[in-house]
Structures are given as structure tokens and as C-alpha cells.
Amino acid sequence: MNRLGKMGTRGQAPRRRALCAATTAALAAMAMPAFAQQSSDEAVELDTVVVTANKRVENVRTVGAAVSLIGEHQLENLGANSLADYADYVPGLQVQDNGNPGLTSISMRGIAAMSSGATVASYIDEVPVGSSGLWQAATTLNLDLLPYDIERVEVLRGPQGTLYGASAIGGLLKYVTRAPDPLAAEWRVGGGWSKVKKGGSGWNARFGANLPLVEDRMAVRVGYARNEIPGYSDSQLDGREDINGGTQSSGRVALAWQGDAFDLNLSALRQEIDFDDRAGVALDPATGRQLFGDVVDVLGARQPFEKRIDLYALTLDWDLGWADFVSATGWSDTKTMYQLDSTVQFGEVADLMLGLPEPGSSWVRYGLDLEKLTQEFRLSSKSGGPFEWMIGAFHTTEDAYQGQNVWLGLMDGSPPPPPLDAAFGTLAVVELPSDYKETAVFVNGSWRINDRFKLDAGLRQSRNEQSYSQIVPAGILVPLGTTHGASEEDVFTWSLSPQFQINDDTMLYARAATGYQPGGPNAALPGIPPSVDSSMLGSYELGLKSQFADRRAQLDLALFRIDWDDIQVQSQFNGVGGLVNGGEATSEGLELSALFRATDRLQFGLNAAYTEAEVKNDFKETVIPQDGFDVILNSGLGGDRMPYVPRLSWSATAEYYFDLAGGWYGHVGGAFRHVGNRVAGTSDRQRITLPGDPSTVLDETIVPPLEVGSYDAFDLYASVGNGSWTIRTFVNNVGDERGWSSMMRVEGALSGRLAHLRAVPIQPRTLGLEFDYRF
């Protein structure tokens, strides 16, 4: 991990290591709801926590922005395998689980995932991961890093366009890995077992080591983890049980050199995800009840998911004496394959178009490949002076490919009878090669006018160039042929944050900032524009960060309003579609984080967010010409709520620490989380008009968004340890609540017949037992 501010000579290295160790312990202690394991003689005062939100090491209490932290021990206590396992404990963060780790959609502060481009940027240390373009399904394939050997997760809420660029329009998710330590050897082994109610059992194993190679100079850190995750969802048609079980594995090697003038960090990471199917529940559209029993889906085809990411990073931190120079290089190769059951959607081609006696089965298979190279240079002043500055340049190149294959067969899985198999067995083959290049320059400054008043400001100028091809060699769903597209755009973003230190423990700040989601060339389909513009937003925030009661309590408040323009939304007809710039939306709300250390043994936490996010006006119409009539589509109407944004969500936590005999100590904790009512999507309006005459409406249909109910869940965890051994147990979703993380309609593409709803449940009650041994 980059040092972000070298302390100088070799003789100061022990101080650097001490600072690193203290920071790690503090972060674990501050993460809500879990805290570092500790003995009862520790101070009651809350610890100091540092973050790298502004690409400097700073006390989180002095950063003029909303920042949340998830520490290593919190991830361990919850038995977390994916983002969905801990998202409910971060105010303003929404994660939609689409059936298994790696299939997740992320939004923050009401900036919902409404197109194929991401609205939340993901970083591993200094390197952005995932596509900035539109053709890698970035909004549903967000980085879902297996949380092993992770020191903390930093969540920055609100646009981060000036320092982090494209796709950080809603915020940033930053994984900070554990750094090699040249002073102390460490070995760690661990494992665990878990059981899901009415599902299978799983296990995990992990290994880690830190090895000094040159005293006070060089070290290597290695780690490997493997999770066999139990399934719990069943398939009604073929009788398969626990179909959503799968495997996660992660390996990492990091090498660090710490010199007198520069530090060098080199790391390699691989993560693999392999699932046989995905979680799902078939619901009655009229009542919302489960149709075929507890956590049972209706599937005409399997839905496997495979993802592999290789990431290599090289960071140089050079102390120039008068400033620090940082070079951060990253290269990643991400390969993904996933398959969707489209039996209801396209299976009716068999009977409605081909005249077969019954509908068939169908699946859609996606194959994606992304190679991404990034390079960032930064030159920054030393910290601590009245004026701190940073200038930088950033470049990224993405070489991407997406393939789509839509298959049609009979319900038993066999192909259609000849000669229909040759002509209609493949409904579509689409190849989508694309590339994305972006270059940006940025400046950031912080002027400490006096002991109480400080002003932060930043500017970023970006330019992206994109090319894309749509190659359709076979099928009937998409017009055959090859089409090329290209786009280029210049984008300017800025931020301004005045901060006022009321006293030593209370800071008031305001923040105005902009962000953007890149546009690009579009699908070549009738009625779909050849390209879409960037989505832009402006955010205005007023915040308070305070510690009181002898620094045993802290309170963070953030009041915000966001205006979002040129929103990219999906426009779909007969099962295929592309993107349009829909219109405008607003999001405003209040976020709260509170922490209170009542005694040296007892600590409480509270997180809450109230968000009003809605479409401001009817989204732009898409006109799809047909034979003898036009179809006019609106994929959002004025007053619609933004998808998957609860008005109210909150979590409360409590932890108690105690001493045992023989040098052992322990802790117990509990957490309650509430996620309010949401909607899945926006309203769809379809009007049939005379050709070229939108004023003559022959028919109109409005389909409102699905209502996704609220849910409450309670988690319990406990541990005992003695410094070397740690034994943990947890029970997540103690009451076995059936809450829904995401929901969709399952309907025919030709007939429009609604067969059922498909929902993804939150994890049923899960019991786990874990151990770690460090030596």
C-alpha cells in the first residue's frame, strides 16, 4: 500500500510501522458495528482514525466529506462474503444482490444503477477496477472482492469526480489491502464452517504470511482464501436443491521496498468466482407470495456464473524533499461468463412464431472480457503547511469484448425439430468489441486560512474517446450485419469545500461537487440513438463532525441535495434495447452516524439515512417504427421514485468486551438493520400511434414499478481470543426474515404475458463458526 507521505530517513522506519499498527487498530475499533478485540484496561476515549479519501493520509474527523469505514474485524464478525453482507451498515449505500457474489448493483445517495455504466467507482488501493465504458455491464458486475487480507473498506458518499474521475458520480468504494511489514514476521491460518437454514453447509480456509526479507527495508506478504458457499434456493421444474452454491477463491502476493528516498510496492491479485446457479424465488404477481414454497424458483434453464480477475499494481512513492511524487500503475484482466434463464421471455417463439404445440426453453449467455491499463502521476506538497496542493495526470485504456448468444430449444432441453433447429435454434448471436480511452489532468488545493477556517478545492479536465462495433452474424432478434460507432467528449468537474473548526472536537463543513458517468456509442437498433451523452450531476452537502462527552461519543451528520441531468436509462422493446438520455432527477436527504463508548467494555453505534430520490420529469421518448404504426416508449415518468432507494434505512449495534482467565478475552455483539420500502425500476409507458403522428394515440399502457417491501434483520456474533487464537461464531438474520434484495417481472417478449415475479432474497438465517491462529 502506498505510504502517501514519506517520513524521511531509515531511522524513522520504526515510527512508521508503529503509526501503521496504531492506524490499523484504530480503524478496526471505529468500524461499525465491530471493534478490535481488546482487553478491558484500554482507554474509554475513542481512537483516531485515518483515511486516504483525498489521496493523503488524514484524520477522518478533519475530512470535509462523508466517509464511512468497514474494518477488518467487522467483516470477520459478520462472516462477510460479499458487499451485500455489510452494505446495510453504511448510511446511504444500497446494494442489490442479483443472486450470487459478483452479480451486484451499487448505488449511493439515490444515484441509482439505471444503465449499463457504473455510478459508483471501485478501487483496490491506488488502482481503479472495472470498466468505465458502457459495454461491460459494469452496473450489474461490480467488483465484489472476497474480504480477506483487507485492512478496511472506505466508502466515500457523493460525487468524487475531481480526484477519482469517471463513474464516481455517486461515490467511491475503495478496498485497502494489508501492506507488507519489514519489521515483523507473521503467519496466519484459519478456517470455518457455515450452515444456511433449509440449505446446505459450506466451509472456508485461509492462509496468510508476512515475511521480512531485508530488515527495515523489504518484505513480502502472501495470502490465499477459499470459500465453499452453501446454497439454499431450489428449482421447481427439475427438482434441484440448493442450486446457488458456489466457490470463491482469492490469492494475493505483495512486495514492498521502503528506502530512504522512495518506497516501491508491487502486488498481484487473482480472484475467482464460480457458481452453478443463482438464488431466486418465484412470486405470485397478484399477492407477492411465494408460489412453490420457501425459496423456490421456476427455471427452464440453468444460470451459471463465472468470473476471474487478475490485477497487477506497481506504486512508487518518491520523497523529493520539497514534495512527494507518486506513480500508480495498474493492469487488470477480467473475464466473466454468466447465463440467464429466458424461457418465459423467448421460449414463446416456439409456439407463437414457429407453430410448435408448446413453448420452448431458452437461455441467454454473456461472455465478457476486459483488459484495463491505468496510469496515474501525482505531485503533492508536504502535509501540515498552511497551503497543501496536488497536481496529477491520469490515463486509462480499456480493450473490451462482449458476446451474446440466445438459444431456443424444447422444454426437455433438446433442440427444435429439423429444419427449425438450423434456422431458429439460435435466436441471436451478437459480438460487441469496444475500446475506451480516457486522459485527465487534475489539481487539488487546501488553504488553511487560520486555525479555524480551511478551504479545499479541486478541478479535473477529462477527455474520453470510444469505439464500438456491433456484429450480428446469426439470429432473428437483432438485425443482421455489422455496424460501427464512435464517440468523444470533454468533461469538466470541480469541487469546493469550506470547513470551519468550531472547537478542537467539532467541525462544520460544506461541499459542492460535480461528477459524471461517461456516455458512448450505442446499440444499433431502430429508434435507438447512435450514442448517449455523459450523465452529469451537481451535489451540495452540509455536514457536521463532532466528538463530545470527553471524546467517548462521536456524531456525523450530512444533509445533501443532488441534481442529476441526462440520466442514462434502458429503453427496451420485444426483449432488446439500448440506452437513451432520459431526463432529470433529484435526490435529497439526511445521513447520520453515531458512536458511543459508554465504558471501556461497552460500545453502541447507530447509522441512518433518509433519502427522497425521484424522477423530475417524464424521461425522453423513444420512437420504435413498426409496420403500419409507431411504438413510443417512456422508461420513467415524472414523480417516480428512484429504483432501490429506501426512504428510510438504519442500523443499530452494540458490543461488549470482557476478560477471561488465563489471558483470554472475549466480546459479544448484536446488530439490527432496517431497510425500508423500495421500488424495482421506474414506470414504463408504451403508446401505439399512427406512423409519424404521435398526437393520435391508438393504445396506451402504463406499467408501474414493482413495490419491494421493507425488511428487518438481526445479527449476532461473539468471539474469544488470547492474542494467538481467535474463535468466532455468528448468526446472521436470526429471525430468518424473508426480505427481498432485488425483484423483476418475468414476462414474454412477444406476448407480454406476465408469468411470475422473480426476487432475490436476503440471506436466510446462517450460522457460522470460524477460527484463526496467528504466530
Coordinates of all heavy atoms in Angstrom, one line a residue, residues 198 408 428 444:
K198 N -32.5 -24.5 5.9 CA -33.1 -25.1 4.7 C -32.2 -25.2 3.5 O -32.7 -25.4 2.4 CB -34.5 -24.5 4.3 CG -35.5 -24.5 5.4 CD -36.8 -24.0 4.9 CE -37.9 -24.1 6.0 NZ -39.2 -23.5 5.6
L408 N -32.6 -21.3 -28.3 CA -34.0 -21.8 -28.1 C -34.0 -23.3 -28.3 O -33.4 -23.8 -29.2 CB -34.9 -21.1 -29.2 CG -36.4 -21.6 -29.3 CD1 -37.1 -21.1 -28.0 CD2 -37.0 -21.1 -30.5
A428 N -30.2 -15.4 -31.5 CA -29.3 -14.3 -31.7 C -27.9 -14.6 -31.4 O -27.6 -15.3 -30.4 CB -29.7 -13.1 -30.9
N444 N -5.7 19.9 -7.0 CA -6.4 20.0 -5.8 C -5.6 20.8 -4.8 O -4.4 20.7 -4.7 CB -6.7 18.6 -5.2 CG -7.8 18.5 -4.2 OD1 -9.0 18.6 -4.6 ND2 -7.5 18.3 -2.9

